[in-house]
Every structure is written in structure tokens, then in C-alpha cells.
Amino acid sequence: MTLVVEAVRGDITRQQVDAIVNAANSSLLGGGGVDGAIHRAAGPTLLEECRRLRETSLVEGLPTGQSIATGAGALPARWVIHTVGPRRWEHADGGAALLGSCHRTCLDAAIGVGARTVAVPAISCGAFGFEPAEAAPIAVAAVRDWASHQGGIDLVRFVLFDDDALDAFMRTINVP
Ligand code: APR
């Protein structure tokens, strides 16, 4: 099946997909923005699972650009894929490689747990300082590039919270 890439306005915690992506930080122990919303909606088992990861395979935390899957607690999705976006101000070169890596490694993590439909927020477009117009082409190109080498994912749905981000992702996706 060919990958469908789409953009919708919405709250990612409500998405009925196999996996939703969390724009986390390296600690994996929660935060504000979409991270806070996901932990609130998932309930305490998500934080417990993240704490266990920090005590076992991720003692140093999750590096920027990397992704890891956990269960999803009370969310409608089955998995949460945590990724750590770059902080825009730390990358004079734009941080495109790390932001692209977030999207590619999220899809690798999705494949790893058998998820075929994935909802993705505007990673790094809140506290981490990217403009949606800058992040959207990086995100969409990374997803398309990943899918040109590999199958297994049917849907990547970018779920955007505000007009700016929705507009940027819609425009990018609709460029042939
Ligand atoms: N559904 C979809 N998108 C959301 C939601 C939601 N429920 N809540 C917020 N967003 C949007 C924001 O409007 C923004 O466009 O997610 C985008 C990413 O913003 P942040 O959550 O701030 O993520 P990021 O910029 O990657 O910063 C990550 O923020 O809270 C912390 O723990 C997190 O330290 C990490 C940092």
C-alpha cells in the first residue's frame, strides 16, 4: 500500500491511529505542550514506562533526533513514539538533519512495534522554536524520503494545533 501523507487540525491525543508521536525532551519525564497533553491523557502508566526506560536502556536520556516507542496508557492509540526535536537556537545551520532524523526514526520505531498508521505533531514548533514554515518542508521531505526506501507504514497524519502550522503543512504536502 502506498503511504498517505496528510495534515489535519486537531488534538493528537484524540487520534484513532496505531501510534502517536510525542515531541518530548531527552528526560522523557514529561513537560508542557504536546508532551504534557499526551501524559495527561495517557495517565500514569505512560510516565511509569518512561521512568523504567530511564532506569534501564536510556540512563542518559533519549538523544536529540532519536525515537523510542512505549505503550499508550488510556489513549485511543496503542503506542506513543517519543522523539526529541532539536532546539532551533542551538543550530546555526537550521537543525534540518536532526529534525529530519526525528521523523525517520519515529517511522523506524513505528515499524518496530508493528504500527502502520502514525499521527505526528509539529515537532520542535513550540518550545523548541522552529517556525512551522521552516519545519514543515523538513518533516514532509523526511517522511517521503523514508517511504521511498521502505514500506510498512500506510498513513502519516500531521496533526496541527494552530492555523500557522496547519497552513504550512498543507502547503508543503500539496506541492507535487
Ligand atoms: N495536539 C497537537 N499538537 C499540539 C498539542 C496537541 N494536544 N499541544 C500542543 N501542540 C503543538 C504546539 O502548538 C506546537 O505547534 O505541538 C507543537 C510542538 O510544540 P511543543 O509541544 O512545545 O514541542 P517542541 O517545540 O518540540 O518542544 C518540546 O516542550 O513541553 C516540552 O517536554 C517538551 O521539553 C519538550 C519541549
Side-chain angles (χ1 to χ4, degrees):
M1 192 167 159
T2 318
L3 172 71
V4 173
V5 180
E6 64 183 20
V8 302
R9 183 200 297 276
D11 176 349
I12 203 160
T13 66
R14 312 289 294 270
Q15 298 298 308
Q16 311 255 359
V17 287
D18 296 336
I20 67 170
V21 170
N22 181 17
N25 57 60
S26 291
S27 80
L28 291 184
L29 300 179
V34 72
D35 194 3
I38 288 173
H39 275 278
R40 276 193 301 280
T45 58
L46 181 60
L47 187 56
E48 283 161 22
E49 214 176 319
C50 289
R51 285 210 174 102
R52 271 200 301 280
L53 284 172
R54 290 300 313 279
E55 287 162 8
T56 54
S57 54
L58 289 173
V59 172
E60 306 283 320
L62 184 65
T64 302
Q66 298 299 304
S67 305
I68 191 155
T70 65
L75 289 164
R78 184 148 176 226
W79 310 99
V80 175
I81 298 170
H82 308 263
T83 194
V84 183
R87 293 167 165 85
R88 179 63 185 87
W89 58 91
E90 290 179 354
H91 300 279
D93 67 351
L98 283 167
L99 188 55
S101 170
C102 286
H103 290 85
R104 285 189 293 272
T105 58
C106 277
L107 297 182
D108 291 338
I111 290 287
V113 294
R116 298 191 69 94
T117 56
V118 185
V120 185
I123 299 165
S124 287
C125 289
F128 284 179
F130 274 75
E131 290 300 329
E134 191 180 18
I138 298 167
V140 172
V143 166
R144 288 187 171 148
D145 176 61
W146 183 94
S148 72
H149 296 104
Q150 191 166 344
I153 302 287
D154 301 328
L155 173 70
V156 172
R157 176 184 296 154
F158 289 100
V159 179
L160 296 321
F161 220 40
D162 52 52
D163 283 339
D164 245 26
L166 181 67
D167 187 57
F169 278 80
M170 296 268 273
R171 279 170 191 267
T172 306
I173 288 167
N174 291 330
V175 171

